[in-house]
Amino acid sequence: MHLIATRDDARGTGLGRRLYAAFAEVAERHGARQLRAITSIKNTGSIAFHRSLGFDTKTVDDYNGPGRAMAVFHRVLPLNVSWP
């Protein structure tokens, strides 16, 4: 998947959480055991959202070229574990 995003007026409604849960379910059925995502280190809303979904977060320097750090997220997908 390239992008999960919601319009500003849909934020806080649970839509993003439901989109991620649906994607994770399909990914697991196809053998995925983890999810990874990235965002700008300045995108504090995205960082908070991913953390609320149980993703681990780290900053990776030069991820997007020299001097361009990104926030990198990781979440293991154990079977039968619901999303927070």
Side-chain angles (χ1 to χ4, degrees), residues 5-19 45-46 48-49 52-53:
T6 59
R7 293 187 329 215
D8 287 345
D9 63 343
R11 291 190 178 151
T13 66
L15 177 59
R17 185 176 300 271
R18 290 190 306 272
L19 288 169
S46 177
F49 173 70
S52 78
L53 293 179

Side-chain angles (χ1 to χ4, degrees), residues 6 13 15-16 21-24 28 37 39 47 49 52 56 60 62-63 66-67 72 74-76 80 82:
T6 59
T13 66
L15 177 59
F23 173 69
E28 280 186 279
T39 195
I47 293 168
F49 173 70
S52 78
D56 294 324
V60 177
D62 302 326
Y63 183 95
V72 178
H74 173 260
R75 179 176 171 171
V76 174
N80 300 319
S82 63

Side-chain angles (χ1 to χ4, degrees), residues 32-62:
R33 296 292 170 249
Q34 61 184 324
L35 296 179
R36 294 179 190 255
I38 61 169
T39 195
S40 162
I41 58 172
K42 295 179 182 180
N43 192 339
T44 57
S46 177
I47 293 168
F49 173 70
H50 282 85
R51 285 182 176 160
S52 78
L53 293 179
F55 281 85
D56 294 324
T57 308
K58 67 178 179 178
T59 299
V60 177
D61 294 329
D62 302 326

